[in-house]
Amino acid sequence: MNIFNHYQDVIKKLLLDEKEKKKIFLPENLNSISVETPPKKFNCDFSTNFAMILSKVNEKSPMDIAENFKDLLLKLNDISEVSIVKPGFINVKLSKNFWSNFLEKILSNPSEYGVNNKEKKKSYLIEFVSANPTGPLHVGHCRGAILGDVLSNLLIFNKHKVTKEYYVNDYGNQIIFFTKSIYLRIREILFNEPFPTNDPDLYPGEYLIEISNNIIKHNNNLNFDSFDKISDELTEISVSESLKLIKNNLKNLGISHDNFISEKSIVTKNEVSKVISKLKDKKLLYQGVISAPERKQSDNYKVREQTLFKSTVFGDDKDRALQKSDNTWTYFASDAAYHNNKIERGFDKLINILGSDHTGYVKRIVALVEALSEKEEKLICKVSQLVKLIKDGKPFKMSKRKGDYITVEDLIDEVGKDATRFIMLNRSSDVELDFDFEKVKEKSKDNPIYYVQYCHARIASVFRKLNKSIGENINFNSQLNFSDDEIKVFRKISEWPKCIEISSKKLEPHRITTYLYDLASEFHFYWNLGKDDETKRFIIKDNISLEKLIFLNSVSVVIKSGMNILGVNIPEKM
């Protein structure tokens, strides 16, 4: 139950009833009437702005309108107190009986609490990671990988259908350089030929030795005398071995994809020609020239006529090349074919998780998808900004044995999967993130994952001492009497459906980590009250009250749901 949406509907009905009685005038649109979480200082359960919305059309001050509605609001079910705050906000406190019924609904069906069953359910294709299959994942991929996975979990929790996809860039020059690097590493192993260290196109990472040894071990029929003769077969094998590393990295992060789509298969099945024909039919292609990129304007850049897509028609800042003057396809052409393939599979929404180095790519790909699908906002791109690793207060560089970067494997070895996932989502993806190793390992409220996990561990400790299990059936009765301090925690619990709704609509799962930290803070504050006030303790003379049993179970429901969406474990002992 989303109490904010519920009371928004209740208030709108009340206003419509008063309009029918000709007691008030209403604006044409009531969408600006809100029911929100009020500041803590007001000690109430929700706040509404409708008096200010009605002020102009009724030619009365918001304070007067609020006063006129005070008695009507108090007659509504479960509203016990109404107070008015300048310039016209109406603050509402709900009855203790309301909270009893509210918690009973949560605990009767805990897995459904927070799900927005009113919204139309959609099918999503979320493409994320899609790193070149030329070696293990590095920290630069990590944040986007976790963002894509948790976003998928969030939409699945909200009953949408989600397909998680990885686009394998196994076509083009980088794959040729990668395969050549593997070939030379194999020659080094078999024939003691030194691996070239002065060729900037080659991949120097030691992980190539592991891949090369696996290829030698399982491919006795290959002859490594000539690169040209085995390049096609070796490319397929090398990409496969590299993908094994990547999939293992993802597995260690708690991530799995439903599909791995090959760029090479897109190209070889003539999907590029198909999308070009489609764009021609829409009269969205022409032969023309584009100005040189800024970085090349001083390098005697030659302007050539190319096949261009009219992306400016759809909001891009310039038209984009699909075919070069030598008739070869651009990278954007194969990407266009892939996105056309996505569209033809019939998903309601497409989401791409992109790294910060692809920010400039967003406009053209969004324009392309709109042109192909004839639908605005068919594709949504979320950009994952950089992560700065901090240790001892300084930028930290871990082992470079995998190549000239820090690997996901290194990061997980240092702090573990759970901390990696939680902290990577601790800020909005569109801002840079500082990942401080010392703070991640602290056992204090300054470490958000510890603080949330400790909340659940404390709850589990109570049930362990009582020889009970979290989630056991509870018989509610009308004699429940929750304290004001307990109700403060229930208020935060009541915000969970709203957190899920906003996170889902805005595609911003970082809101969940913030919410869980706030809920944990409210819980720990209440727990610490028991140090000075025996009545606040959960176990008194080896017994627990029904109210506190309900309290603990209710907090546990939300912590579990939130951490499951994040893909983070909740230990019962810490």
Side-chain angles (χ1 to χ4, degrees):
M1 176 185 176
N2 186 324
I3 70 169
F4 302 95
N5 289 351
H6 170 71
Y7 279 101
Q8 187 179 45
D9 292 341
V10 168
I11 287 169
K12 286 180 180 179
K13 184 179 184 304
L14 173 64
L15 296 177
L16 290 169
D17 288 345
E18 290 300 291
K19 179 189 176 184
E20 286 294 314
K21 297 173 185 175
K22 302 188 183 304
K23 293 186 176 181
I24 58 167
F25 297 103
L26 294 181
E28 291 184 11
N29 194 326
L30 298 181
N31 290 339
S32 53
I33 291 175
S34 65
V35 172
E36 301 291 345
T37 306
K40 282 186 179 181
K41 65 181 180 180
F42 293 117
N43 189 28
C44 58
D45 299 313
F46 68 81
S47 179
T48 176
N49 66 345
F50 78 79
M52 289 180 283
I53 300 300
L54 269 58
S55 175
K56 184 176 181 180
V57 71
N58 286 278
E59 297 181 347
K60 290 183 179 180
S61 75
M63 296 295 288
D64 287 341
I65 291 174
E67 284 291 347
N68 291 339
F69 271 90
K70 186 173 181 178
D71 289 340
L72 287 174
L73 289 169
L74 285 167
K75 290 178 183 178
L76 295 174
N77 288 339
D78 294 323
I79 290 181
S80 62
E81 292 182 27
V82 174
S83 58
I84 301 165
V85 180
K86 290 182 178 180
F89 285 105
I90 300 173
N91 293 333
V92 174
K93 184 179 281 191
L94 298 166
S95 68
K96 292 186 177 181
N97 188 55
F98 166 85
W99 291 112
S100 177
N101 294 332
F102 172 74
L103 297 168
E104 185 174 12
K105 288 177 182 177
I106 292 176
L107 297 183
S108 65
N109 197 2
S111 64
E112 288 293 308
Y113 181 57
V115 177
N116 185 355
N117 288 312
K118 291 184 177 180
E119 70 174 350
K120 182 182 178 182
K121 303 307 172 186
K122 298 174 182 176
S123 61
Y124 287 85
L125 176 65
I126 304 182
E127 182 212 334
F128 60 104
V129 187
S130 297
N132 289 339
T134 54
L137 298 180
H138 56 72
V139 171
H141 301 122
C142 187
R143 193 180 187 190
I146 293 166
L147 172 63
D149 191 55
V150 176
L151 186 54
S152 300
N153 294 344
L154 171 61
L155 293 170
I156 290 168
F157 175 81
N158 230 5
K159 306 298 183 184
H160 297 286
K161 185 177 180 180
V162 176
T163 298
K164 298 185 287 183
E165 190 156 286
Y166 188 119
Y167 183 48
V168 182
N169 303 115
D170 55 354
Y171 185 82
N173 287 335
Q174 289 305 313
I175 294 301
I176 294 171
F177 298 145
F178 172 65
T179 306
K180 187 66 177 290
S181 302
I182 293 287
Y183 175 78
L184 293 170
R185 281 295 187 189
I186 290 173
R187 296 281 302 178
E188 179 184 45
I189 294 166
L190 293 178
F191 309 116
N192 293 319
E193 293 181 1
F195 183 87
T197 57
N198 57 352
D199 188 337
D201 290 331
L202 297 179
Y203 288 77
E206 291 185 16
Y207 65 88
L208 292 176
I209 298 173
E210 178 185 344
I211 292 176
S212 299
N213 277 317
N214 286 337
I215 292 173
I216 293 168
K217 182 178 179 181
H218 298 108
N219 296 275
N220 296 326
N221 60 324
L222 282 181
N223 186 317
F224 298 101
D225 291 339
S226 170
F227 176 71
D228 292 338
K229 288 181 180 178
I230 65 166
S231 61
D232 288 345
E233 187 175 0
L234 186 58
T235 295
E236 187 174 338
I237 295 169
S238 299
V239 168
S240 177
E241 288 293 332
S242 184
L243 279 174
K244 287 179 185 177
L245 288 177
I246 290 171
K247 288 178 181 179
N248 189 58
N249 292 155
L250 291 170
K251 180 182 177 183
N252 291 336
L253 272 176
I255 297 171
S256 63
H257 286 80
D258 300 304
N259 300 330
F260 283 78
I261 302 295
S262 161
E263 180 185 1
K264 186 176 180 180
S265 70
I266 293 285
V267 174
T268 55
K269 289 178 182 177
N270 294 319
E271 296 268 4
V272 176
S273 298
K274 182 178 177 181
V275 75
I276 293 294
S277 296
K278 192 170 181 178
L279 291 169
K280 279 182 179 177
D281 291 343
K282 293 175 177 287
K283 301 188 186 318
L284 291 172
L285 298 184
Y286 68 99
Q287 294 300 118
V289 297
I290 52 176
S291 58
E294 287 185 15
R295 67 182 183 278
K296 293 186 178 181
Q297 285 178 355
S298 60
D299 297 339
N300 297 318
Y301 182 84
K302 294 182 180 180
V303 176
R304 297 179 177 90
E305 191 173 80
Q306 302 175 79
T307 301
L308 303 179
F309 162 57
K310 298 178 182 178
S311 54
T312 51
V313 174
F314 303 94
D316 197 0
D317 48 16
K318 65 179 179 179
D319 293 338
R320 304 291 177 173
L322 289 168
Q323 192 172 31
K324 302 174 188 176
S325 56
D326 62 1
N327 291 326
T328 59
W329 301 119
T330 63
Y331 174 80
F332 183 50
S334 59
D335 219 20
Y338 172 48
H339 281 79
N340 187 52
N341 177 280
K342 288 182 180 182
I343 292 165
E344 290 183 342
R345 282 185 271 160
F347 296 97
D348 296 316
K349 286 282 186 182
L350 307 177
I351 299 174
N352 288 359
I353 308 296
L354 303 173
S356 58
D357 56 337
H358 282 73
T359 302
Y361 202 67
V362 172
K363 284 185 178 180
R364 75 187 71 176
I365 200 64
V366 168
L368 176 87
V369 169
E370 183 179 343
L372 292 170
S373 67
E374 298 181 352
K375 292 180 182 177
E376 292 185 13
E377 297 185 358
K378 177 77 172 181
L379 170 66
I380 299 170
C381 292
K382 300 289 289 184
V383 174
S384 177
Q385 287 294 340
L386 296 172
V387 177
K388 295 180 181 177
L389 300 177
I390 307 293
K391 195 167 189 178
D392 299 324
K394 297 177 290 187
F396 179 58
K397 299 273 186 179
M398 282 192 268
S399 167
K400 292 186 179 182
R401 67 183 180 83
K402 300 295 185 184
D404 192 24
Y405 51 75
I406 302 164
T407 67
V408 166
E409 178 187 331
D410 289 329
L411 186 60
I412 294 173
D413 286 345
E414 185 80 14
V415 301
K417 171 187 77 76
D418 289 340
T420 300
R421 289 182 69 101
F422 196 102
I423 302 303
M424 286 291 179
L425 284 166
N426 208 36
R427 295 190 72 189
S428 172
S429 63
D430 59 5
V431 297
E432 289 189 0
L433 174 74
D434 287 347
F435 194 108
D436 191 316
F437 288 98
E438 270 63 43
K439 287 186 178 179
V440 168
K441 295 176 181 179
E442 280 181 8
K443 294 183 177 181
S444 74
K445 67 181 298 182
D446 292 329
N447 178 2
I449 182 173
Y450 169 80
Y451 211 49
V452 175
Q453 287 180 324
Y454 189 41
C455 170
H456 185 264
R458 275 181 155 175
I459 292 170
S461 71
V462 175
F463 282 87
R464 198 161 51 247
K465 287 178 182 177
L466 295 168
N467 199 27
K468 289 179 176 288
S469 298
I470 300 174
E472 284 184 9
N473 288 335
I474 296 174
N475 292 319
F476 280 73
N477 60 52
S478 58
Q479 307 304 313
L480 294 174
N481 184 26
F482 294 110
S483 70
D484 288 342
D485 290 311
E486 288 163 344
I487 288 174
K488 287 179 183 177
V489 180
F490 299 155
R491 284 176 186 157
K492 179 54 67 174
I493 289 173
S494 75
E495 294 172 24
W496 177 236
K498 188 172 185 177
C499 173
I500 289 293
E501 181 180 348
I502 295 173
S503 300
S504 184
K505 283 183 177 179
K506 292 181 176 289
L507 305 177
E508 294 178 346
H510 73 279
R511 294 173 181 271
I512 295 174
T513 61
T514 302
Y515 170 86
L516 291 175
Y517 181 83
D518 290 345
L519 175 59
S521 297
E522 295 285 357
F523 173 84
H524 290 306
F525 178 82
Y526 181 85
W527 178 283
N528 291 331
L529 291 176
K531 294 177 181 178
D532 300 318
D533 184 349
E534 186 176 297
T535 64
K536 304 295 183 185
R537 295 174 189 171
F538 289 96
I539 299 176
I540 301 174
K541 296 180 180 179
D542 296 327
N543 285 312
I544 187 170
S545 68
L546 183 58
E547 285 86 353
K548 286 186 171 55
L549 201 60
I550 292 169
F551 176 93
L552 291 172
N553 273 291
S554 301
V555 175
S556 175
V557 163
V558 179
I559 294 291
K560 281 182 178 179
S561 287
M563 295 295 255
N564 283 341
I565 291 170
L566 298 178
V568 175
N569 291 315
I570 41 172
E572 298 204 346
K573 292 182 180 180
M574 292 182 72

